[in-house]
mmCIF file of all heavy atoms in Angstrom:
data_model
loop_
_atom_site.group_PDB
_atom_site.id
_atom_site.type_symbol
_atom_site.label_atom_id
_atom_site.label_comp_id
_atom_site.label_asym_id
_atom_site.label_seq_id
_atom_site.Cartn_x
_atom_site.Cartn_y
_atom_site.Cartn_z
ATOM 1 N N VAL A 1 -0.176 42.216 45.404
ATOM 2 C CA VAL A 1 -1.118 41.071 45.443
ATOM 3 C C VAL A 1 -2.544 41.580 45.208
ATOM 4 O O VAL A 1 -3.288 41.019 44.404
ATOM 5 C CB VAL A 1 -0.962 40.271 46.722
ATOM 6 C CG1 VAL A 1 -2.052 39.172 46.754
ATOM 7 C CG2 VAL A 1 0.399 39.636 46.806
ATOM 8 N N VAL A 2 -2.945 42.626 45.976
ATOM 9 C CA VAL A 2 -4.283 43.176 45.858
ATOM 10 C C VAL A 2 -4.558 43.647 44.419
ATOM 11 O O VAL A 2 -5.558 43.328 43.811
ATOM 12 C CB VAL A 2 -4.523 44.326 46.856
ATOM 13 C CG1 VAL A 2 -5.882 44.999 46.597
ATOM 14 C CG2 VAL A 2 -4.461 43.745 48.279
ATOM 15 N N LYS A 3 -3.638 44.381 43.873
ATOM 16 C CA LYS A 3 -3.815 44.921 42.548
ATOM 17 C C LYS A 3 -3.918 43.776 41.482
ATOM 18 O O LYS A 3 -4.682 43.799 40.551
ATOM 19 C CB LYS A 3 -2.696 45.885 42.127
ATOM 20 C CG LYS A 3 -2.776 47.219 42.851
ATOM 21 C CD LYS A 3 -1.636 48.129 42.497
ATOM 22 C CE LYS A 3 -1.725 48.637 41.096
ATOM 23 N NZ LYS A 3 -0.642 49.594 40.771
ATOM 24 N N SER A 4 -3.115 42.776 41.702
ATOM 25 C CA SER A 4 -3.164 41.623 40.718
ATOM 26 C C SER A 4 -4.472 40.890 40.830
ATOM 27 O O SER A 4 -4.941 40.297 39.786
ATOM 28 C CB SER A 4 -2.005 40.624 40.997
ATOM 29 O OG SER A 4 -2.182 39.953 42.219
ATOM 30 N N GLU A 5 -5.138 40.865 41.995
ATOM 31 C CA GLU A 5 -6.382 40.183 42.163
ATOM 32 C C GLU A 5 -7.564 41.030 41.703
ATOM 33 O O GLU A 5 -8.496 40.623 41.062
ATOM 34 C CB GLU A 5 -6.609 39.771 43.568
ATOM 35 C CG GLU A 5 -5.641 38.701 44.065
ATOM 36 C CD GLU A 5 -5.827 37.390 43.346
ATOM 37 O OE1 GLU A 5 -6.980 37.086 42.834
ATOM 38 O OE2 GLU A 5 -4.841 36.586 43.303
ATOM 39 N N VAL A 6 -7.491 42.380 41.961
ATOM 40 C CA VAL A 6 -8.630 43.257 41.666
ATOM 41 C C VAL A 6 -8.618 43.755 40.213
ATOM 42 O O VAL A 6 -9.673 43.718 39.587
ATOM 43 C CB VAL A 6 -8.571 44.480 42.650
ATOM 44 C CG1 VAL A 6 -9.637 45.519 42.247
ATOM 45 C CG2 VAL A 6 -8.745 44.023 44.039
ATOM 46 N N ILE A 7 -7.458 44.100 39.678
ATOM 47 C CA ILE A 7 -7.467 44.662 38.328
ATOM 48 C C ILE A 7 -6.414 43.939 37.411
ATOM 49 O O ILE A 7 -6.253 44.317 36.286
ATOM 50 C CB ILE A 7 -7.100 46.167 38.310
ATOM 51 C CG1 ILE A 7 -5.779 46.441 39.057
ATOM 52 C CG2 ILE A 7 -8.272 46.974 38.918
ATOM 53 C CD1 ILE A 7 -5.412 47.942 39.054
ATOM 54 N N GLY A 8 -5.706 42.951 37.983
ATOM 55 C CA GLY A 8 -4.724 42.262 37.191
ATOM 56 C C GLY A 8 -5.123 40.863 36.814
ATOM 57 O O GLY A 8 -6.280 40.645 36.503
ATOM 58 N N TYR A 9 -4.184 39.914 36.850
ATOM 59 C CA TYR A 9 -4.416 38.612 36.261
ATOM 60 C C TYR A 9 -4.109 37.450 37.258
ATOM 61 O O TYR A 9 -3.691 36.381 36.800
ATOM 62 C CB TYR A 9 -3.610 38.456 34.976
ATOM 63 C CG TYR A 9 -3.917 39.527 33.994
ATOM 64 C CD1 TYR A 9 -3.328 40.733 33.954
ATOM 65 C CD2 TYR A 9 -4.950 39.298 33.052
ATOM 66 C CE1 TYR A 9 -3.675 41.706 33.010
ATOM 67 C CE2 TYR A 9 -5.361 40.238 32.136
ATOM 68 C CZ TYR A 9 -4.701 41.477 32.144
ATOM 69 O OH TYR A 9 -5.078 42.423 31.276
ATOM 70 N N SER A 10 -4.241 37.794 38.540
ATOM 71 C CA SER A 10 -4.147 36.788 39.562
ATOM 72 C C SER A 10 -2.765 36.045 39.418
ATOM 73 O O SER A 10 -1.716 36.665 39.350
ATOM 74 C CB SER A 10 -5.243 35.772 39.485
ATOM 75 O OG SER A 10 -5.274 34.876 40.622
ATOM 76 N N TRP A 11 -2.757 34.678 39.404
ATOM 77 C CA TRP A 11 -1.481 33.983 39.426
ATOM 78 C C TRP A 11 -0.753 34.104 38.074
ATOM 79 O O TRP A 11 0.470 33.808 38.007
ATOM 80 C CB TRP A 11 -1.670 32.482 39.749
ATOM 81 C CG TRP A 11 -2.744 31.825 38.962
ATOM 82 C CD1 TRP A 11 -4.107 31.708 39.193
ATOM 83 C CD2 TRP A 11 -2.575 31.173 37.659
ATOM 84 N NE1 TRP A 11 -4.757 30.983 38.232
ATOM 85 C CE2 TRP A 11 -3.869 30.614 37.249
ATOM 86 C CE3 TRP A 11 -1.517 30.939 36.817
ATOM 87 C CZ2 TRP A 11 -4.041 29.919 36.094
ATOM 88 C CZ3 TRP A 11 -1.654 30.300 35.637
ATOM 89 C CH2 TRP A 11 -2.932 29.756 35.256
ATOM 90 N N LEU A 12 -1.423 34.572 37.076
ATOM 91 C CA LEU A 12 -0.716 34.762 35.786
ATOM 92 C C LEU A 12 -0.063 36.122 35.647
ATOM 93 O O LEU A 12 0.635 36.381 34.622
ATOM 94 C CB LEU A 12 -1.833 34.652 34.658
ATOM 95 C CG LEU A 12 -1.339 34.263 33.251
ATOM 96 C CD1 LEU A 12 -0.671 32.887 33.239
ATOM 97 C CD2 LEU A 12 -2.479 34.321 32.259
ATOM 98 N N GLU A 13 -0.151 36.926 36.627
ATOM 99 C CA GLU A 13 0.366 38.308 36.619
ATOM 100 C C GLU A 13 1.869 38.377 36.273
ATOM 101 O O GLU A 13 2.317 39.164 35.442
ATOM 102 C CB GLU A 13 0.109 39.010 37.973
ATOM 103 C CG GLU A 13 0.529 40.492 38.007
ATOM 104 C CD GLU A 13 -0.435 41.405 37.318
ATOM 105 O OE1 GLU A 13 -1.522 40.972 36.970
ATOM 106 O OE2 GLU A 13 -0.016 42.537 37.077
ATOM 107 N N PRO A 14 2.730 37.550 36.905
ATOM 108 C CA PRO A 14 4.179 37.606 36.541
ATOM 109 C C PRO A 14 4.488 37.342 35.118
ATOM 110 O O PRO A 14 5.303 37.934 34.486
ATOM 111 C CB PRO A 14 4.766 36.557 37.428
ATOM 112 C CG PRO A 14 3.808 36.369 38.606
ATOM 113 C CD PRO A 14 2.548 36.549 38.000
ATOM 114 N N LEU A 15 3.696 36.380 34.457
ATOM 115 C CA LEU A 15 3.917 36.104 33.049
ATOM 116 C C LEU A 15 3.461 37.253 32.170
ATOM 117 O O LEU A 15 4.077 37.561 31.180
ATOM 118 C CB LEU A 15 3.225 34.843 32.698
ATOM 119 C CG LEU A 15 4.011 33.523 32.928
ATOM 120 C CD1 LEU A 15 4.206 33.316 34.470
ATOM 121 C CD2 LEU A 15 3.296 32.343 32.372
ATOM 122 N N ILE A 16 2.334 37.883 32.570
ATOM 123 C CA ILE A 16 1.880 39.052 31.795
ATOM 124 C C ILE A 16 2.850 40.157 31.848
ATOM 125 O O ILE A 16 3.111 40.930 30.890
ATOM 126 C CB ILE A 16 0.498 39.481 32.339
ATOM 127 C CG1 ILE A 16 -0.576 38.423 32.161
ATOM 128 C CG2 ILE A 16 0.062 40.843 31.660
ATOM 129 C CD1 ILE A 16 -0.961 38.226 30.650
ATOM 130 N N ARG A 17 3.515 40.302 32.967
ATOM 131 C CA ARG A 17 4.468 41.438 33.203
ATOM 132 C C ARG A 17 5.847 41.132 32.576
ATOM 133 O O ARG A 17 6.645 42.019 32.466
ATOM 134 C CB ARG A 17 4.654 41.743 34.679
ATOM 135 C CG ARG A 17 3.387 42.274 35.331
ATOM 136 C CD ARG A 17 3.759 43.006 36.663
ATOM 137 N NE ARG A 17 2.656 43.536 37.284
ATOM 138 C CZ ARG A 17 2.723 44.541 38.240
ATOM 139 N NH1 ARG A 17 3.925 45.068 38.537
ATOM 140 N NH2 ARG A 17 1.701 44.975 38.856
ATOM 141 N N ASP A 18 6.088 39.909 32.310
ATOM 142 C CA ASP A 18 7.459 39.491 31.815
ATOM 143 C C ASP A 18 7.604 39.912 30.375
ATOM 144 O O ASP A 18 6.961 39.380 29.465
ATOM 145 C CB ASP A 18 7.646 37.977 31.918
ATOM 146 C CG ASP A 18 9.046 37.559 31.617
ATOM 147 O OD1 ASP A 18 9.853 38.401 31.054
ATOM 148 O OD2 ASP A 18 9.396 36.452 31.923
ATOM 149 N N GLU A 19 8.420 40.947 30.159
ATOM 150 C CA GLU A 19 8.570 41.533 28.828
ATOM 151 C C GLU A 19 9.412 40.647 27.899
ATOM 152 O O GLU A 19 9.529 40.879 26.719
ATOM 153 C CB GLU A 19 9.252 42.935 28.916
ATOM 154 C CG GLU A 19 8.375 43.934 29.624
ATOM 155 C CD GLU A 19 8.955 45.356 29.612
ATOM 156 O OE1 GLU A 19 10.002 45.564 28.956
ATOM 157 O OE2 GLU A 19 8.299 46.249 30.175
ATOM 158 N N HIS A 20 9.985 39.556 28.457
ATOM 159 C CA HIS A 20 10.713 38.637 27.628
ATOM 160 C C HIS A 20 9.807 37.633 26.902
ATOM 161 O O HIS A 20 10.282 36.966 26.007
ATOM 162 C CB HIS A 20 11.744 37.843 28.494
ATOM 163 C CG HIS A 20 12.792 38.742 29.080
ATOM 164 N ND1 HIS A 20 12.592 39.394 30.235
ATOM 165 C CD2 HIS A 20 14.062 39.010 28.691
ATOM 166 C CE1 HIS A 20 13.688 40.055 30.558
ATOM 167 N NE2 HIS A 20 14.631 39.796 29.598
ATOM 168 N N LEU A 21 8.551 37.521 27.348
ATOM 169 C CA LEU A 21 7.626 36.524 26.741
ATOM 170 C C LEU A 21 6.857 37.095 25.567
ATOM 171 O O LEU A 21 6.439 38.256 25.558
ATOM 172 C CB LEU A 21 6.656 36.064 27.831
ATOM 173 C CG LEU A 21 7.303 35.350 29.053
ATOM 174 C CD1 LEU A 21 6.216 34.782 29.931
ATOM 175 C CD2 LEU A 21 8.248 34.266 28.586
ATOM 176 N N GLU A 22 6.700 36.238 24.568
ATOM 177 C CA GLU A 22 5.931 36.642 23.401
ATOM 178 C C GLU A 22 4.592 35.931 23.314
ATOM 179 O O GLU A 22 3.611 36.363 22.730
ATOM 180 C CB GLU A 22 6.758 36.320 22.126
ATOM 181 C CG GLU A 22 8.037 37.159 22.052
ATOM 182 C CD GLU A 22 8.844 36.822 20.805
ATOM 183 O OE1 GLU A 22 8.560 35.781 20.139
ATOM 184 O OE2 GLU A 22 9.803 37.598 20.560
ATOM 185 N N ASP A 23 4.525 34.706 23.892
ATOM 186 C CA ASP A 23 3.266 33.882 23.862
ATOM 187 C C ASP A 23 3.165 33.140 25.230
ATOM 188 O O ASP A 23 4.185 32.707 25.820
ATOM 189 C CB ASP A 23 3.273 32.885 22.811
ATOM 190 C CG ASP A 23 2.946 33.480 21.421
ATOM 191 O OD1 ASP A 23 1.760 33.798 21.178
ATOM 192 O OD2 ASP A 23 3.877 33.637 20.641
ATOM 193 N N ILE A 24 1.969 32.942 25.734
ATOM 194 C CA ILE A 24 1.597 32.194 26.865
ATOM 195 C C ILE A 24 0.540 31.201 26.403
ATOM 196 O O ILE A 24 -0.507 31.575 25.891
ATOM 197 C CB ILE A 24 1.098 33.027 28.057
ATOM 198 C CG1 ILE A 24 2.127 34.105 28.424
ATOM 199 C CG2 ILE A 24 0.818 32.122 29.227
ATOM 200 C CD1 ILE A 24 1.596 35.102 29.403
ATOM 201 N N GLN A 25 0.788 29.902 26.594
ATOM 202 C CA GLN A 25 -0.111 28.846 26.060
ATOM 203 C C GLN A 25 -0.539 27.902 27.179
ATOM 204 O O GLN A 25 0.342 27.279 27.743
ATOM 205 C CB GLN A 25 0.560 28.128 24.897
ATOM 206 C CG GLN A 25 1.088 29.002 23.809
ATOM 207 C CD GLN A 25 1.969 28.273 22.813
ATOM 208 O OE1 GLN A 25 2.323 27.165 23.036
ATOM 209 N NE2 GLN A 25 2.418 28.987 21.779
ATOM 210 N N CYS A 26 -1.808 27.682 27.303
ATOM 211 C CA CYS A 26 -2.351 26.701 28.189
ATOM 212 C C CYS A 26 -3.429 25.953 27.405
ATOM 213 O O CYS A 26 -4.534 26.365 27.305
ATOM 214 C CB CYS A 26 -3.002 27.333 29.420
ATOM 215 S SG CYS A 26 -3.731 26.143 30.550
ATOM 216 N N PHE A 27 -3.015 24.817 26.836
ATOM 217 C CA PHE A 27 -3.904 24.104 25.977
ATOM 218 C C PHE A 27 -4.806 23.083 26.699
ATOM 219 O O PHE A 27 -5.782 22.634 26.176
ATOM 220 C CB PHE A 27 -3.072 23.303 24.878
ATOM 221 C CG PHE A 27 -2.338 24.211 23.940
ATOM 222 C CD1 PHE A 27 -0.993 24.100 23.810
ATOM 223 C CD2 PHE A 27 -3.025 25.190 23.179
ATOM 224 C CE1 PHE A 27 -0.296 24.959 22.942
ATOM 225 C CE2 PHE A 27 -2.349 25.996 22.328
ATOM 226 C CZ PHE A 27 -0.983 25.912 22.174
ATOM 227 N N LYS A 28 -4.403 22.764 27.907
ATOM 228 C CA LYS A 28 -5.228 21.753 28.722
ATOM 229 C C LYS A 28 -4.812 21.928 30.140
ATOM 230 O O LYS A 28 -3.689 22.136 30.545
ATOM 231 C CB LYS A 28 -4.868 20.394 28.195
ATOM 232 C CG LYS A 28 -5.735 19.272 28.744
ATOM 233 C CD LYS A 28 -5.392 17.932 28.209
ATOM 234 C CE LYS A 28 -6.195 16.783 28.768
ATOM 235 N NZ LYS A 28 -5.825 15.475 28.256
ATOM 236 N N ALA A 29 -5.819 21.784 30.990
ATOM 237 C CA ALA A 29 -5.610 21.750 32.468
ATOM 238 C C ALA A 29 -4.749 20.569 32.927
ATOM 239 O O ALA A 29 -4.699 19.582 32.198
ATOM 240 C CB ALA A 29 -6.915 21.782 33.185
ATOM 241 N N ASN A 30 -4.103 20.741 34.050
ATOM 242 C CA ASN A 30 -3.272 19.659 34.650
ATOM 243 C C ASN A 30 -2.078 19.344 33.777
ATOM 244 O O ASN A 30 -1.537 18.227 33.952
ATOM 245 C CB ASN A 30 -4.093 18.431 34.910
ATOM 246 C CG ASN A 30 -5.266 18.720 35.899
ATOM 247 O OD1 ASN A 30 -5.005 19.316 36.972
ATOM 248 N ND2 ASN A 30 -6.420 18.321 35.568
ATOM 249 N N THR A 31 -1.643 20.156 32.941
ATOM 250 C CA THR A 31 -0.449 19.997 32.102
ATOM 251 C C THR A 31 0.351 21.337 32.195
ATOM 252 O O THR A 31 -0.182 22.425 32.389
ATOM 253 C CB THR A 31 -0.690 19.673 30.651
ATOM 254 O OG1 THR A 31 -1.516 20.701 30.077
ATOM 255 C CG2 THR A 31 -1.425 18.374 30.550
ATOM 256 N N PRO A 32 1.685 21.307 32.060
ATOM 257 C CA PRO A 32 2.470 22.548 32.180
ATOM 258 C C PRO A 32 2.135 23.540 31.146
ATOM 259 O O PRO A 32 1.980 23.225 29.958
ATOM 260 C CB PRO A 32 3.932 22.028 32.049
ATOM 261 C CG PRO A 32 3.881 20.611 32.344
ATOM 262 C CD PRO A 32 2.569 20.105 31.913
ATOM 263 N N ILE A 33 1.985 24.788 31.580
ATOM 264 C CA ILE A 33 1.827 25.946 30.622
ATOM 265 C C ILE A 33 3.081 26.065 29.885
ATOM 266 O O ILE A 33 4.207 25.782 30.315
ATOM 267 C CB ILE A 33 1.535 27.224 31.423
ATOM 268 C CG1 ILE A 33 0.110 27.163 32.030
ATOM 269 C CG2 ILE A 33 1.722 28.457 30.537
ATOM 270 C CD1 ILE A 33 -0.231 28.377 32.830
ATOM 271 N N LYS A 34 2.955 26.483 28.554
ATOM 272 C CA LYS A 34 4.111 26.741 27.777
ATOM 273 C C LYS A 34 4.248 28.233 27.419
ATOM 274 O O LYS A 34 3.199 28.921 27.376
ATOM 275 C CB LYS A 34 4.014 25.942 26.408
ATOM 276 C CG LYS A 34 4.227 24.408 26.616
ATOM 277 C CD LYS A 34 4.261 23.680 25.309
ATOM 278 C CE LYS A 34 4.505 22.212 25.512
ATOM 279 N NZ LYS A 34 4.644 21.464 24.278
ATOM 280 N N VAL A 35 5.447 28.668 27.203
ATOM 281 C CA VAL A 35 5.673 30.096 26.867
ATOM 282 C C VAL A 35 6.684 30.166 25.730
ATOM 283 O O VAL A 35 7.535 29.227 25.545
ATOM 284 C CB VAL A 35 6.192 30.886 28.060
ATOM 285 C CG1 VAL A 35 5.216 30.984 29.204
ATOM 286 C CG2 VAL A 35 7.589 30.319 28.569
ATOM 287 N N THR A 36 6.601 31.195 25.007
ATOM 288 C CA THR A 36 7.633 31.539 23.962
ATOM 289 C C THR A 36 8.407 32.701 24.485
ATOM 290 O O THR A 36 7.911 33.779 24.643
ATOM 291 C CB THR A 36 6.978 31.859 22.604
ATOM 292 O OG1 THR A 36 6.163 30.792 22.167
ATOM 293 C CG2 THR A 36 8.094 32.140 21.574
ATOM 294 N N HIS A 37 9.717 32.400 24.708
ATOM 295 C CA HIS A 37 10.604 33.380 25.254
ATOM 296 C C HIS A 37 11.402 34.069 24.162
ATOM 297 O O HIS A 37 11.792 33.377 23.158
ATOM 298 C CB HIS A 37 11.605 32.708 26.229
ATOM 299 C CG HIS A 37 12.355 33.635 27.126
ATOM 300 N ND1 HIS A 37 13.408 34.389 26.739
ATOM 301 C CD2 HIS A 37 12.124 33.939 28.502
ATOM 302 C CE1 HIS A 37 13.847 35.087 27.753
ATOM 303 N NE2 HIS A 37 13.149 34.852 28.834
ATOM 304 N N ARG A 38 11.603 35.356 24.210
ATOM 305 C CA ARG A 38 12.278 36.138 23.205
ATOM 306 C C ARG A 38 13.663 35.625 22.935
ATOM 307 O O ARG A 38 14.119 35.638 21.782
ATOM 308 C CB ARG A 38 12.371 37.622 23.644
ATOM 309 C CG ARG A 38 12.910 38.575 22.618
ATOM 310 C CD ARG A 38 12.884 39.937 23.139
ATOM 311 N NE ARG A 38 13.738 40.084 24.286
ATOM 312 C CZ ARG A 38 13.655 41.082 25.199
ATOM 313 N NH1 ARG A 38 12.761 42.018 25.066
ATOM 314 N NH2 ARG A 38 14.437 41.069 26.282
ATOM 315 N N ASP A 39 14.364 35.097 23.957
ATOM 316 C CA ASP A 39 15.723 34.684 23.801
ATOM 317 C C ASP A 39 15.904 33.176 23.733
ATOM 318 O O ASP A 39 16.894 32.712 23.188
ATOM 319 C CB ASP A 39 16.581 35.166 24.985
ATOM 320 C CG ASP A 39 16.588 36.739 25.116
ATOM 321 O OD1 ASP A 39 16.651 37.336 24.015
ATOM 322 O OD2 ASP A 39 16.558 37.195 26.217
ATOM 323 N N TYR A 40 14.986 32.405 24.257
ATOM 324 C CA TYR A 40 15.130 30.948 24.287
ATOM 325 C C TYR A 40 14.081 30.175 23.553
ATOM 326 O O TYR A 40 14.096 28.912 23.551
ATOM 327 C CB TYR A 40 15.143 30.496 25.772
ATOM 328 C CG TYR A 40 16.182 31.106 26.580
ATOM 329 C CD1 TYR A 40 15.954 32.273 27.388
ATOM 330 C CD2 TYR A 40 17.495 30.712 26.461
ATOM 331 C CE1 TYR A 40 16.926 32.870 28.114
ATOM 332 C CE2 TYR A 40 18.534 31.317 27.276
ATOM 333 C CZ TYR A 40 18.245 32.408 28.036
ATOM 334 O OH TYR A 40 19.235 33.094 28.789
ATOM 335 N N GLY A 41 13.096 30.871 22.917
ATOM 336 C CA GLY A 41 12.082 30.148 22.113
ATOM 337 C C GLY A 41 11.010 29.476 22.953
ATOM 338 O O GLY A 41 10.786 29.888 24.082
ATOM 339 N N LEU A 42 10.377 28.473 22.373
ATOM 340 C CA LEU A 42 9.255 27.764 23.028
ATOM 341 C C LEU A 42 9.829 26.913 24.182
ATOM 342 O O LEU A 42 10.700 26.146 23.946
ATOM 343 C CB LEU A 42 8.538 26.958 22.038
ATOM 344 C CG LEU A 42 7.313 26.171 22.549
ATOM 345 C CD1 LEU A 42 6.181 27.138 23.018
ATOM 346 C CD2 LEU A 42 6.742 25.272 21.465
ATOM 347 N N MET A 43 9.229 27.090 25.374
ATOM 348 C CA MET A 43 9.654 26.323 26.536
ATOM 349 C C MET A 43 8.453 25.888 27.397
ATOM 350 O O MET A 43 7.433 26.598 27.400
ATOM 351 C CB MET A 43 10.580 27.163 27.411
ATOM 352 C CG MET A 43 11.865 27.602 26.809
ATOM 353 S SD MET A 43 12.880 28.417 28.020
ATOM 354 C CE MET A 43 11.968 29.860 28.399
ATOM 355 N N ARG A 44 8.612 24.730 28.053
ATOM 356 C CA ARG A 44 7.607 24.355 29.101
ATOM 357 C C ARG A 44 7.923 25.152 30.312
ATOM 358 O O ARG A 44 9.030 25.640 30.542
ATOM 359 C CB ARG A 44 7.671 22.891 29.327
ATOM 360 C CG ARG A 44 9.005 22.433 29.902
ATOM 361 C CD ARG A 44 8.902 21.084 30.638
ATOM 362 N NE ARG A 44 8.062 21.275 31.848
ATOM 363 C CZ ARG A 44 7.846 20.222 32.667
ATOM 364 N NH1 ARG A 44 8.359 19.008 32.456
ATOM 365 N NH2 ARG A 44 7.115 20.404 33.784
#
């Protein structure tokens, strides 16, 4: 937790570390983030 806050990406850290993801998309606040998964494609 400390490393994610000091030198990492806070609450986005798990998505940054997920090697299955190819894209992370946040087009607008208060709406679900979308990701592109290597095996399942674009998902909410």
